[in-house]
Amino acid sequence: MYSTRSVLKSSLRLGAAVAAVAAVCLVAPAEAAVSTAPAPSFDGPVHAVAFRGDTVYVGGSFTKAIVGGKQIARQRLAAFDARTGALRAWTPTADGTVRALAVDGATVYAAGEFATVSGQNRKAVAGLDATSGALTTFKHTVVGTPTSLATGNGRLYVGGRITSVNGVARTNLAAFSTTTGALDNGWKPTADDWVNSLALYGGKVYLGGSFKKTNGISSTWRLTRVDALTGALDTTFLPRPESQVYAVTADATGIYAAHGGQGGRAIAYTTTGAVRWNRAFDGDAQAITTLDGTVYVGGHFDVACTTGNNGVQGVCTDGSVPRVKFAAITQAGELTGWNPAGNGVVGVRYMAASAELGLVAAAGDFTLIDGVAQKRYASFPVSGTTTPSPTTPSPSVSPSVSPSVSPSVSPSPSSTATVSPSPTAAARAVEFTFDSRNADGSFPDTHGGAPLRPLGADGGAPVVTARGTGSALTFPGPCTGTTCPRLILEATATSALNPGAGNFAYGASVRVTPEQTTDGENVLQKGYSTSGSHFKLQVDGTPGNPSCAVTSTTGTTIYLAKSTVTVADGAWHTLECRRTGTTFAILVDGVVRGTKTIPADLTVANSQPLRVGGKGLTADNDQFRGQLDDLWVDAVV
């Protein structure tokens, strides 16, 4: 899911935008406490970062790493422990600046302005053993300056300003097989100017840069996407931004770009290229990454505008708040209070994130973080940074696109609302593991209650697939026809699953890919919002953010607790909805990701059965499209 990207942002290319920044950038006080993970400093700019497990790889123009005040030789490449900051015994050397890094399995790929690596000929690209640092057999002659790498689909994708590979013409883009190392002659899209950044997601490669044409087609400038297998331009995504794209990243929530221009901007786009939100700064945004639904931005700005407006030399016309080289933005486009306060003119060149470690890494030319010496690389544990800054209104959002996060949802993963513990398996009213089936094809309740019976239409039927030592249930895949297969499971109605006005919880494990999301997919529900009360767990919209819904017997108001993070990443996630008094919460993988205040007397009691995978068998049944396992309901917590 996470692609490695890098951007060439030397002082020569920053041009007039850098000239507009004062020679000395003062550090503003942080608006929220920011901690850093242990990490080395470096004696020269860091341009690229890549994670592999608990190892961080960096590349740049440095010649020494600095640990505990001691300088240790590292020639433009280094690796260290992400948790302790201790240098790894990984010591390849490059004779020129390393502009980009990417990891594929046991190989670290590097690209940049070098001619040799560890004393051997490697013109602009090289493959390195991730453990020993030894050169692999990956060897090519690239004419030009590659500045960006991404790996996936058995390929290493390269972007920059390049004219040929091994004497074969290429126009700023190329790809290689990560299996054989050969140049991929089937993937050769073109861009007529710099490709600053690549991001790979959902079978597409996103291109960001200063180009005007992609594949020779007019009006395809600065931000486009091409097919990851064929290189064909996808004309359904043509946002045509007004200013250069320095960095782009994409995930299940959307596409995000860091722009230069008049001041700088971080812009969120939908999968069709529409603008979801637009944040302005007083200097270029040069780096961007995402983690747990929050967008992290770096650049050489000093303040963030309180609206999407700025003027001459990037001056915010409607007010501003300090955000010195760093900012974080919610899915609703709101600035959070996260402000590490870097320094320098160029500031931050590159950002990357590790979901496994819960870290956001930044690299560039800064030498201070919150006034403390930390030279040119820093990483931040970012749990709980999604709380919006109370002083910062969100910019206007495109009216045609709803924000991904409801304003009524508390987006902080570490919500201060009181939430009861999860019920134990023994305490659950019903539980379905899908590890076995009854003779009639139904799925038994492990507590001996009524089974779930499959009900299908237009060919919809349950498919049981292996998961670990047990099984999971696969629902019909994406379909846009008029007779799409539909499948639900239904249990006999029972009042035992009516929680009344008491505390209760329910949940399931789901696996959903980005291609399997739709406008709405029901995981489980009992009752309907329009009659007689209900509770429901669903996956909302194409971003794939889950939510919990509940209505009372006394009205039809829907109370929605929506997660600030997506689950549409192809991995298994546990989802739980939990009522504790007046707090209704959604948990993703055991962490509270959204809450909603509900009336103390809200009562759920209806005569409907428990339904799984959809609200019925009609054509608009909100069909669940992914995989499901370990579903449970506890009517009283």
Side-chain angles (χ1 to χ4, degrees):
M1 173 176 176
Y2 296 92
S3 301
T4 302
R5 310 160 318 281
S6 183
V7 181
L8 176 61
K9 304 184 202 73
S10 67
S11 58
L12 291 176
R13 294 198 60 219
L14 290 173
V18 169
V21 181
V24 177
C25 298
L26 298 179
V27 177
E31 291 195 7
V34 175
S35 62
T36 58
S41 288
F42 295 90
D43 70 343
V46 178
H47 293 265
V49 180
F51 287 96
R52 180 178 182 263
D54 60 2
T55 298
V56 183
Y57 300 89
V58 294
S61 303
F62 54 85
T63 59
K64 294 179 179 65
I66 305 168
V67 180
K70 181 180 178 180
Q71 294 192 348
I72 303 169
R74 288 295 188 271
Q75 295 288 329
R76 303 177 182 88
L77 288 162
F80 53 91
D81 188 299
R83 294 183 175 88
T84 68
L87 284 173
R88 303 287 196 203
W90 192 82
T91 58
T93 62
D95 68 345
T97 299
V98 174
R99 297 282 180 187
L101 294 172
V103 174
D104 181 77
T107 303
V108 178
Y109 292 97
E113 297 164 22
F114 50 82
T116 66
V117 174
S118 299
Q120 300 185 44
N121 291 333
R122 290 294 189 274
K123 178 60 177 172
V125 293
L128 300 158
D129 184 277
T131 302
S132 69
L135 282 164
T136 70
T137 57
F138 182 80
K139 181 179 180 180
H140 297 276
T141 298
V142 175
V143 177
T145 304
T147 60
S148 182
L149 297 176
T151 56
N153 302 307
R155 292 172 171 83
L156 170 70
Y157 299 92
V158 183
R161 190 63 184 267
I162 59 179
T163 57
S164 68
V165 178
N166 303 333
V168 178
R170 285 293 186 270
T171 308
N172 302 323
L173 291 159
F176 303 87
S177 168
T178 54
T179 302
T180 67
L183 177 67
D184 186 343
N185 288 314
W187 195 85
K188 46 185 179 182
T190 64
D192 66 347
D193 205 340
W194 284 92
V195 176
N196 293 332
S197 183
L198 300 175
L200 179 64
Y201 186 75
K204 304 291 183 182
V205 180
Y206 291 85
L207 317 176
S210 58
F211 52 86
K212 302 297 189 297
K213 294 181 180 180
T214 307
N215 290 357
I217 299 172
S218 299
S219 300
T220 59
W221 59 74
R222 301 189 181 101
L223 182 60
T224 55
R225 70 183 174 204
V226 298
D227 189 274
L229 301 180
T230 67
L233 177 68
D234 185 345
T235 57
T236 66
F237 179 81
L238 293 175
R240 301 185 181 95
E242 295 181 356
S243 55
Q244 178 173 186
V245 174
Y246 283 119
V248 61
T249 190
D251 63 16
T253 63
I255 299 92
Y256 305 92
H259 294 262
Q262 179 174 283
R265 295 178 184 276
I267 301 179
Y269 298 94
T270 69
T271 55
T272 59
V275 173
R276 287 173 45 219
W277 48 255
N278 179 354
R279 291 240 60 121
F281 303 91
D282 69 337
D284 288 348
Q286 302 171 158
I288 198 163
T289 192
T290 62
L291 183 61
D292 288 345
T294 298
V295 181
Y296 296 88
V297 185
H300 66 85
F301 49 82
D302 293 325
V303 300
C305 304
T306 54
T307 71
N309 302 321
N310 59 10
V312 177
Q313 296 184 347
V315 174
C316 300
T317 56
D318 301 323
S320 64
V321 292
R323 289 295 184 273
V324 188
K325 317 307 176 193
F326 294 94
I329 306 167
T330 72
Q331 284 295 307
E334 299 170 311
L335 284 171
T336 76
W338 189 75
N339 179 18
N343 70 329
V345 176
V346 175
V348 180
R349 294 176 180 266
Y350 184 82
M351 298 186 81
S354 169
E356 178 182 354
L357 301 172
L359 292 177
V360 167
D365 291 29
F366 55 86
T367 58
L368 298 173
I369 298 293
D370 271 343
V372 177
Q374 185 62 50
K375 297 180 179 180
R376 303 176 182 91
Y377 174 89
S379 60
F380 308 93
V382 294
S383 175
T385 63
T386 56
T387 304
S389 169
T391 62
T392 310
S394 60
S396 58
V397 178
S398 171
S400 62
V401 182
S402 298
S404 294
V405 180
S406 168
S408 64
V409 175
S410 170
S412 172
S414 55
S415 172
T416 58
T418 301
V419 179
S420 62
S422 297
T424 64
R428 291 169 179 169
V430 296
E431 185 172 18
F432 301 94
T433 64
F434 306 106
D435 292 340
S436 63
R437 299 184 74 169
N438 297 320
D440 63 357
S442 63
F443 295 92
D445 170 19
T446 60
H447 296 272
L452 282 173
R453 296 176 292 108
L455 302 174
D458 292 323
V463 176
V464 176
T465 55
R467 182 191 174 207
T469 58
S471 302
L473 190 62
T474 300
F475 283 78
C479 176
T480 57
T482 57
T483 57
C484 292
R486 296 183 293 282
L487 169 69
I488 68 168
L489 293 89
E490 186 175 282
T492 303
T494 171
S495 60
L497 297 186
N498 286 335
N503 293 339
F504 66 100
Y506 53 97
S509 294
V510 301
R511 180 179 182 269
V512 181
T513 67
E515 295 77 19
Q516 291 171 328
T517 59
T518 62
D519 287 342
E521 300 185 7
N522 286 5
V523 178
L524 70 88
Q525 71 181 76
K526 186 178 190 297
Y528 297 100
S529 61
T530 56
S531 60
S533 75
H534 89 311
F535 62 79
K536 180 166 67 171
L537 169 62
Q538 59 195 4
V539 177
D540 288 329
T542 54
N545 291 54
S547 65
C548 303
V550 66
T551 59
S552 179
T553 55
T554 57
T556 58
T557 300
I558 300 174
Y559 297 93
L560 190 70
K562 188 169 184 178
S563 169
T564 58
V565 300
T566 182
V567 295
D569 56 7
W572 280 99
H573 296 279
T574 59
L575 307 180
E576 181 179 341
C577 304
R578 198 187 305 170
R579 175 186 179 166
T580 306
T582 59
T583 299
F584 190 45
I586 181 165
L587 292 80
V588 179
D589 299 324
V591 178
V592 176
R593 293 297 186 180
T595 61
K596 178 70 175 178
T597 300
I598 60 176
D601 61 352
L602 186 146
T603 301
V604 180
N606 61 67
S607 59
Q608 296 293 325
L610 176 68
R611 293 186 175 93
V612 175
K615 61 186 179 183
L617 291 177
T618 59
D620 59 345
N621 72 330
D622 294 336
Q623 180 68 60
F624 180 68
R625 299 292 182 185
Q627 289 183 286
L628 180 67
D629 201 3
D630 299 330
L631 181 145
W632 58 273
V633 177
D634 186 356
V636 179
V637 176

